[in-house]
Amino acid sequence: MMNIDVEPLRSMGLQPAIAQQAIALAAAHGLNHARLVRLVALHRETLRLHDGRTEREARAMPRLTRLLAEADDMLAVGDWVLAAEDAHGDCWVHARVPPLTHLVRRDADGRRHPVVSNVDTALLVMGLDADFNPRRLERFLALVQGSGVQPVIVLSKADSVPDAATLYCRIQELRARMPAGAEMIAVDTRDTDCVERLAHHLGEGRTLVLMGSSGAGKSTLTNTLLGAALQDTGAVRESDGRGQHTTTARTLFRLAGGACVIDTPGLRALRPDADAADVAATFDDIARLAPACRFRNCAHQGEPGCAVREGVDDDRLRNYHKLLREARRDTMSALERQQQVALWKARGREGRTRLKMKRGES
């Protein structure tokens, strides 16, 4: 049976469930000589692994890469893996321990891209300056919903808000759009007070991930939690408040209290890998109001007597419908998508024809 050096791995966020799965996986694949390590950084060709004492470079076995690709998956920062050296002293990753949690986004073509694995808390960072965008925050919440990861909304750059009344109004605006019970804090990410306010998420064995747009203050908060300036930070553009993508790779760091934090680059485009149920959980106010609609099958779009349209902000409702369309599209087969595109094109042609007839054009 594979031996696991538990004590140093606790500082990497090792949990008993992961250790048990690793032992079973090693026995099933004849990897009792391998070591359990955590993936702390992922580059184009290589991986960075940590065993709680030392960090080293490794590569994934082609067979593992192929198996993950066939499952529409790939390795992600935060994964626990079984690694072993070959006769030449090179380190190879032979297997991935099934993650307890796994955050995934999709690109514009619907392809899945893992963000991080085995995290307990997602700190969703949004600036109270020009970065303030409730619709984007709703997308981050949809990404986390249903994953088993606890979302915490961190409103950064509280020091940039001119007065307490403005800060209160912005927080109340967000609370009206956030799921019931969602934790939210407003902070200056440079202030060490952040550590105390997040202390209940920083226990030994816990892993946090910071997500948000570029320039929101994720790397600044990472440095504050670490108590050292390990991550590069940069100023935002004055014209639109956007960051310069100073952080270019996801990296896992150990904190002094035994927790781990993963800093991530700002996402240029965010399309959650969420189903309709996850979207509904993000917009729980819509679910609460829906039973009061006049019609049982109300789509909350143009129907009379719609309690949702009367009680939910128009911008929030539009974002809900957009996320719902994306979620439904992701569950379609390739043929169904082709049929939907053909239907849209046909409707477009019919609309143009009617417009020409109305204008008296041939």
Side-chain angles (χ1 to χ4, degrees):
M1 185 174 69
M2 182 181 69
N3 292 320
I4 298 178
D5 194 356
V6 173
E7 194 58 37
L9 289 177
R10 282 179 180 161
S11 67
M12 299 302 302
L14 180 65
Q15 298 182 12
I18 289 290
Q20 292 170 6
Q21 287 194 66
I23 292 171
L25 184 67
H29 294 275
L31 294 172
N32 290 327
H33 63 290
R35 291 194 304 162
L36 178 63
V37 290
R38 197 165 195 189
L39 200 164
V40 297
L42 193 154
H43 305 292
R44 187 178 298 273
E45 299 292 337
T46 60
L47 316 170
R48 297 296 298 178
L49 308 178
H50 210 302
D51 64 3
R53 291 194 176 95
T54 59
E55 185 175 320
R56 69 170 301 171
E57 189 174 276
R59 292 177 181 270
M61 292 293 290
R63 180 178 177 275
L64 173 60
T65 302
R66 185 177 67 254
L67 288 173
L68 290 174
E70 289 173 354
D72 195 20
D73 202 356
M74 61 183 70
L75 291 171
V77 172
D79 270 325
W80 288 94
V81 298
L82 301 182
E85 291 185 355
D86 63 15
H88 304 286
D90 296 323
C91 187
W92 293 90
V93 172
H94 291 261
R96 179 183 73 169
V97 180
L100 300 180
T101 60
H102 195 48
L103 296 182
V104 180
R105 68 178 180 89
R106 290 182 183 266
D107 61 21
D109 296 323
R111 290 189 294 266
R112 302 174 77 250
H113 297 273
V115 180
V116 289
S117 293
N118 297 304
V119 298
D120 303 288
T121 305
L123 302 182
L124 308 181
V125 185
M126 183 176 71
L128 285 163
D129 54 1
D131 182 59
F132 190 78
N133 187 328
R135 295 187 73 182
R136 185 175 63 239
L137 182 59
E138 287 168 347
R139 285 186 166 269
F140 277 104
L141 282 166
L143 174 71
V144 175
Q145 286 289 353
S147 66
V149 177
Q150 180 183 359
V152 176
I153 301 161
V154 178
L155 301 178
S156 63
K157 306 182 184 179
D159 55 303
S160 69
V161 181
D163 53 68
T166 302
L167 176 60
Y168 176 80
C169 288
R170 287 205 162 182
I171 290 176
Q172 290 304 108
E173 178 187 349
L174 274 182
R175 287 204 183 279
R177 301 177 67 134
M178 297 299 104
E183 183 178 351
M184 184 187 307
I185 62 171
V187 297
D188 175 356
T189 53
R190 300 168 299 181
D191 194 330
T192 54
D193 178 60
C194 296
V195 180
E196 183 177 345
R197 297 189 66 182
L198 292 169
H200 54 297
H201 296 292
L202 302 177
E204 184 180 32
R206 305 277 295 178
T207 300
L208 301 85
V209 60
L210 281 74
M211 296 191 296
S213 60
S214 179
K218 300 185 300 299
S219 294
T220 301
L221 180 54
T222 298
N223 288 339
T224 300
L225 294 176
L226 287 167
L230 298 186
Q231 285 290 78
D232 292 334
T233 59
V236 298
R237 290 197 299 258
E238 293 185 5
S239 59
D240 57 9
R242 293 190 176 184
Q244 307 297 311
H245 293 283
T246 307
T247 301
T248 57
R250 301 178 185 98
T251 308
L252 183 148
F253 299 96
R254 292 188 294 174
L255 303 180
C260 296
V261 61
I262 302 175
D263 191 13
T264 65
L267 293 174
R268 291 179 173 86
L270 176 61
R271 182 173 169 185
D273 182 35
D275 58 20
D278 295 332
V279 174
T282 305
F283 297 81
D284 61 345
D285 52 341
I286 293 177
R288 289 196 305 270
L289 289 169
C293 291
R294 180 184 299 177
F295 301 106
R296 188 172 299 176
N297 61 345
C298 183
H300 321 309
Q301 292 181 315
E303 301 88 344
C306 177
V308 170
R309 284 192 294 113
E310 292 177 4
V312 177
D313 178 80
D314 289 342
D315 181 66
R316 177 168 168 78
L317 190 55
R318 282 193 296 271
N319 203 27
Y320 165 76
H321 285 304
K322 186 174 183 180
L323 283 166
L324 204 56
R325 286 195 300 271
E326 291 176 3
R328 287 169 177 165
R329 176 176 168 78
D330 290 336
T331 61
M332 292 180 179
S333 65
L335 178 59
E336 288 172 332
R337 288 181 187 143
Q338 291 174 1
Q339 292 172 340
Q340 185 180 65
V341 170
L343 178 61
W344 287 341
K345 289 181 177 179
R347 288 177 177 174
R349 288 193 297 269
E350 290 171 3
R352 290 190 294 271
T353 300
R354 285 195 299 269
L355 184 60
K356 286 182 179 180
M357 292 176 65
K358 188 175 181 179
R359 292 174 176 172
E361 300 175 4
S362 56

